[in-house]
Each structure stands twice: as structure tokens, then as C-alpha cells.
Amino acid sequence: MELKINRATVPVADIIFEGIQEQSVELDYILPDYYPDIFRLIRCETVPVITSWNISGERLTYELRCDIRVIYCSEDSNVPQCISQRRSFSKTVELGKACDTPVVKLVPKAEHANCRVVNKRRLDMRGAVSVKISVTGETAQEVICDASGMNIQLRKIPLKFASEKVVVEKSIEISEETELTPAQPAILGIISCRCIVGECEKKMVSGKLLAKGEAEIRLLCSCEKDGTGAVEPMSFTFPYSQIIDIDGIDDSFECTVTPETLGCDVTPVADKDGENRILRCEIELKLVCSAVKSASLMIGTDAYSTVYPCMISSSDVRAEQIPAVFSENFRHTARIAENDAVPQRIYAMWCAPKNINTHMSDDGHSLIVSGMLTYSMAAADASGMIVMPDRDEAFEETIVLGEEVSGCSISAEISVKDVSYNISAEGVLTAKADISAKILAYGCSSVKALTDIAVDNSTKKERDGDYAVKLYYGTENEEIWDIAKRYSTVVDAVLEENELAGDRLENGGMLLIPIVT
């Protein structure tokens, strides 16, 4: 009987490019006439964001925007002043090859920002940001899913993969005005503005995706309290709801919506009494919508003939899969300062994660997440001056995931939900950060699949004797497939002869190997 091979085509994830690009950020700034002279620098920071990207042929281009904030005080007033500037850069990456249906991930990170006062009207800032770049594509890989004839034995495993995938991005704008409460002081200026977007709710309605969520603006505003400069923290939440068209999807697709902040501008506006008690908020978000349909296929991973010499060819198949998602919350406690180093007054404290690393525990059931948490605060020192120091604290947390993640590729997204602080009677300032960890567990990302089988029917295998049964002493956890292949016999015959139920020997011991061709 001639050899018959059935083949199938599966989409395979293809890593096109992985790397890091750096960009220097420089600012030579002369104060406008309406700004007071510089007396003391308080803080300098750069916030990078990717606003857009495009792939044409073998080239990736993207737009990097850096929002620069320099906070200072004048000699005559302790009210913080903020200089806000924006720098935009067009960056290019040579990918080395073109790709179909690319998935691009760009993660910007501020490396450092150093500022010096050239004179009382001029600032010089030098900094750098980096962008971690990952581009994956999709290629079609032909694999063997079944084979028969010429006494072929085929080892098969199930392969789950993303058979269809659609990614749609939609930008939305939120424009709102909000009025301060009577208890809040009038605003002199905005010295810090952050937009936090949480998990996005989603619902499929008539082939369209409905996405709902909230955007929270967290502000630090300069104001006057008791005749001196102060910092006032404020926060406002604005809901959003969008209908997103994604052609060709239905309830068989699994969808995710990831919101990203592209821009956040808050402008104080005077009320009827001439005080800045109204805030005009402009938020720009990008909703990244991914829809994936899964399929499963039995594919061959190894083959041999019980009678004829056999040659096989195989290839690594990286099948993209929908990750299992786990959520875990934990609290990190840090000793920030003590005794004379404790500020006289703390207006606000916040925290940001960086340099996140993950690895599995030795037993394979827990994930160890580690990295740094940067604690920052706006405070007044013993002399009453406004200070905004940072402190880096290392953390490590063990998260129990369970046996279902064994053999998976794991990544973690860390976010800080809230920060609280306490000054003890002994004069120790302690901060507590409530951390949320989103764990993504991807199934085995690489499988060695058969791509070809060649049987030489011009000759037969030579055996070391003429026998019907062979005695063999197996070792613990040895695979039955390997034993049957070694003796060119049928796997099912070995299982039946020894009354075995699994594909491995749970314990070592004597086996009867029937020679069946």
C-alpha cells in the first residue's frame, strides 16, 4: 500500500523585528515675559507617548511625542510655576522584510531628564527616552495532519491556534468642563496632569463592538493656602462609550479592548468672579480592539515505518493563541523617610512601576513578579519650600497561578491603583501602594511539526533476530512512543500487551515488546 499523506495549512506567528530605539530629548527654553524669574528648580520630567505608526513594505515609521514639564519657584513666591513644552519625533525602523497582517507593539519609556538653570530666564534640559519595539507577522505553514500506508506510525498532538485575527484601532476625544467645589481653592496653575484608564467593558451587539469605560484625570494644581504657595491634588472621572465596527466578526470571536492615553490637557478657566474655578479637560484616547477566532487541528510531530527505513522533515510552528488572563492584587509597603528627612507637610503621593521582570517558580505553578516602584510626592520641607522628590523601591511578589499554566509563556502588566501614607509617632514616613497585576499566560508558543515523510520501500529494516516478543526494562516516565520506535513496532500493540493506559511509564519495570509490523 502506497504512502498517503494528508496536509493542512496553519497560520504561524513570525517575529519580524524586536529591538529598542533611543531618542535624545533637548530643550533650550527662554521664559516668556509673563513668567517670573527662576529661583529654585523643583522637578523636571518627560512623559513619552506613541501617537501613531505605519508600516510600508519593509519599513516601520512611528510618531513619538514627549511632553516636558519643568516645575520651579521664583524668589518672591513659593507658588510652583510649571513650564510645559512638547517635542515630536518621526522615527524609522528597517524591519528587514515585509509582512502580512503585522502586529506592532511600541512601548515608550523615559530614561532620564536633567535640567539646569543657565540664568534666571533660561533653562537647559537634556534627557532621553527609549522605545521597545516588537513587530510580528503571520505566515502560512504547511504541516502533516495524517499519514497511512507503508506501515507508517504517526505521532499526533492537538494544536490550538488563531485561525482568524482582526485588529482595529479607534481614536476618541473626550471634552468636558468641571467646576471646583467650594472647599477647593482657586487654581493658579496646573503643575502635573495624568490620565488613568482602567479596564474596558465590552459587548457584542449586531456584529458591532460596544466599548465602555472611564478615564480618570489626576491633577496637581498650584494654589495659595494661608498666604503661602501650596499644591492641591484633584481628580475627576469621565465616562466614555463607543461603538466600534469590526468587519466579519461574530460571537465565535473572542474580543479584547485595550484603552491607551494619547493626550490629556487641562486648562483653568475663570468663573464669573474672575477666579480659576473651572477646568476645561481635553482627553484623547486610542482603543485597540483585537478579535480572535480559535481553531484546533491534530498535527504530526514524529513518524516511522515498522518495516521500511524512513526519513522525516520538521519545522518549528509558532502558533498564536489566545492567552489565559489572571488578575491579582497585592500591597507594597515602603519606608520612605524618617526623622528630619520627613517633610513638614505632604500634599500628595503617587507611585509608578518600572523595569518589570517575570519568571516561573521551580514548581512551575507560581509566577514571581519583580521590579521597581518609584514613589513620588509633592510636599513642603521644614522651611516651607515645595519639594517633589522620588524614591525607588524594589519589590518582588509571588502569585500562585495553578497547574494550567505549566509550559506557558507568561507576561505581567503592573499598575498602581492607589497610594496611601502614614507618619508614625517615631517619625517614620511609610507609604503603601495597592498594586494590580494582570497576568497573561500564552500556551506553548512553539511546536516541532512534521512537514514531510519519505519512505524507502526498496529495502526493509534489518532486525537483530527472528522473534515475536522482546523483553525490555523501561525507566520511570519513559515514553511508549520512543520504545515502540526503537523496536520498529506498533505503539498500540505495546500498550495492549502490557495493559498500559497512558503514553508514559509511570514507574520503571519490565515490558513485553511485541514485534508487530
Side-chain angles (χ1 to χ4, degrees):
M1 184 178 178
E2 66 178 4
L3 179 64
K4 293 182 179 180
I5 297 177
N6 294 333
R7 303 177 187 273
T9 301
V10 297
V12 175
D14 184 17
I15 298 177
I16 305 299
F17 182 89
E18 287 185 335
I20 295 177
Q21 273 195 332
E22 294 188 351
Q23 173 65 51
S24 61
V25 182
E26 299 179 357
L27 175 67
D28 187 359
Y29 188 77
I30 298 176
L31 296 181
D33 293 340
Y34 50 84
Y35 271 87
D37 291 349
I38 302 168
F39 178 70
R40 181 174 61 89
L41 283 177
I42 298 176
R43 186 180 181 85
C44 174
E45 63 182 12
T46 300
V47 180
V49 63
I50 304 297
T51 58
S52 64
W53 61 266
N54 179 64
I55 287 183
S56 178
E58 300 180 2
R59 178 174 295 178
L60 165 68
T61 58
Y62 63 92
E63 298 297 318
L64 169 66
R65 190 183 72 208
C66 297
D67 293 328
I68 304 168
R69 286 184 177 270
V70 180
I71 303 169
Y72 74 95
C73 280
S74 66
E75 187 174 8
D76 300 328
S77 173
N78 199 31
V79 175
Q81 304 289 331
C82 181
I83 299 166
S84 297
Q85 291 291 294
R86 182 167 286 175
R87 293 288 183 267
S88 296
F89 307 92
S90 294
K91 303 290 289 181
T92 301
V93 181
E94 296 297 336
L95 302 178
K97 63 177 178 178
C99 61
D100 296 327
T101 61
V103 175
V104 178
K105 189 174 183 180
L106 303 168
V107 182
K109 174 187 173 184
E111 297 295 343
H112 66 270
N114 299 314
C115 190
R116 68 184 182 94
V117 179
V118 179
N119 58 53
K120 62 183 181 179
R121 304 295 302 171
R122 185 175 178 181
L123 289 168
D124 179 63
M125 194 281 289
R126 296 290 183 269
V129 301
S130 64
V131 180
K132 187 177 180 180
I133 306 166
S134 173
V135 181
T136 58
E138 189 177 279
T139 59
Q141 175 69 59
E142 191 176 72
V143 297
I144 294 175
C145 58
D146 201 5
S148 61
M150 304 189 80
N151 305 92
I152 278 291
Q153 292 281 291
L154 183 66
R155 184 180 196 179
K156 296 190 290 186
I157 64 169
L159 177 67
K160 189 177 180 180
F161 57 93
S163 60
E164 296 182 52
K165 181 175 58 178
V166 183
V167 178
V168 174
E169 296 183 356
K170 184 174 184 179
S171 296
I172 63 174
E173 294 182 355
I174 303 172
S175 182
E176 298 282 351
E177 283 192 355
T178 186
E179 190 170 356
L180 302 185
T181 66
Q184 293 173 314
I187 296 172
L188 298 179
I190 306 293
I191 60 176
S192 177
C193 176
R194 293 177 294 151
C195 180
I196 310 298
V197 286
E199 293 290 332
C200 188
E201 297 181 13
K202 58 191 181 298
K203 184 179 181 181
M204 187 74 68
V205 180
S206 300
K208 299 180 185 295
L209 193 63
L210 174 62
K212 299 172 62 177
E214 290 183 339
E216 180 186 7
I217 293 180
R218 298 178 184 177
L219 300 176
L220 290 179
C221 305
S222 60
C223 60
E224 284 190 358
K225 285 185 176 180
D226 302 325
T228 186
V231 174
E232 181 77 7
M234 300 180 184
S235 64
F236 308 94
T237 300
F238 303 106
Y240 64 85
S241 178
Q242 287 288 311
I243 294 178
I244 304 166
D245 291 323
I246 308 179
D247 293 336
I249 69 168
D250 53 32
D251 293 337
S252 64
F253 284 77
E254 293 190 39
C255 300
T256 60
V257 180
T258 304
E260 299 176 2
T261 302
L262 294 182
C264 178
D265 294 312
V266 178
T267 306
V269 179
D271 61 9
K272 62 182 180 180
D273 297 324
E275 291 187 320
N276 289 336
R277 303 192 63 81
I278 299 174
L279 292 174
R280 182 174 298 145
C281 306
E282 303 287 341
I283 305 171
E284 185 180 2
L285 302 179
K286 179 172 68 175
L287 302 181
V288 182
C289 311
S290 299
V292 179
K293 185 175 183 178
S294 293
S296 184
L297 178 71
M298 296 297 292
I299 65 168
T301 59
D302 196 8
Y304 65 91
S305 171
T306 60
V307 176
Y308 305 103
C310 179
M311 295 291 292
I312 62 172
S313 299
S314 59
S315 178
D316 287 330
V317 173
R318 300 185 73 255
E320 184 176 352
Q321 300 177 11
I322 300 173
V325 180
F326 303 85
S327 296
E328 184 77 15
N329 297 318
F330 59 92
R331 172 169 285 186
H332 179 265
T333 302
R335 190 183 181 105
I336 303 299
E338 56 185 271
N339 301 327
D340 294 341
V342 176
Q344 185 182 59
R345 181 176 181 181
I346 298 174
Y347 299 107
M349 184 175 290
W350 62 99
C351 181
K354 64 179 182 181
N355 302 333
I356 303 301
N357 298 299
T358 60
H359 68 274
M360 294 300 296
S361 61
D362 292 339
D363 62 11
H365 303 326
S366 301
L367 180 69
I368 299 173
V369 182
S370 61
M372 301 295 292
L373 294 172
T374 300
Y375 287 87
S376 306
M377 61 179 162
D381 63 13
S383 64
M385 289 187 173
I386 303 296
V387 293
M388 299 179 70
D390 294 332
R391 183 181 179 89
D392 288 339
E393 291 286 333
F395 79 94
E396 182 175 286
E397 188 74 15
T398 299
I399 301 173
V400 179
L401 300 178
E403 295 184 5
E404 61 267 26
V405 302
S406 180
C408 292
S409 173
I410 305 290
S411 65
E413 299 174 0
I414 302 297
S415 59
V416 179
K417 297 300 183 183
D418 194 22
V419 178
S420 59
Y421 60 89
N422 176 66
I423 300 176
S424 68
E426 293 76 21
V428 177
L429 171 60
T430 302
K432 296 180 180 180
D434 291 325
I435 311 295
S436 175
K438 181 180 179 181
I439 312 300
L440 304 176
Y442 296 84
C444 183
S445 60
S446 183
V447 174
K448 191 168 287 292
L450 287 182
T451 56
D452 197 19
I453 302 173
V455 177
D456 181 8
N457 61 355
S458 64
T459 184
K460 291 186 177 182
K461 290 182 176 179
E462 293 185 4
R463 299 188 182 275
D464 58 359
D466 186 14
Y467 47 82
V469 176
K470 184 82 171 180
L471 290 178
Y472 175 77
Y473 190 85
T475 59
E476 184 179 357
N477 289 323
E478 189 172 4
E479 295 191 8
I480 304 302
W481 172 272
D482 294 335
I483 299 171
K485 184 178 180 180
R486 185 179 302 121
Y487 289 98
S488 296
T489 190
V490 177
V491 174
D492 289 342
V494 177
L495 294 172
E496 183 178 351
E497 182 70 29
N498 296 277
E499 298 181 350
L500 300 173
D503 57 358
R504 291 175 181 268
L505 284 176
E506 293 185 1
N507 302 297
M510 191 69 69
L511 291 180
L512 295 175
I513 311 297
I515 306 304
V516 179
T517 59

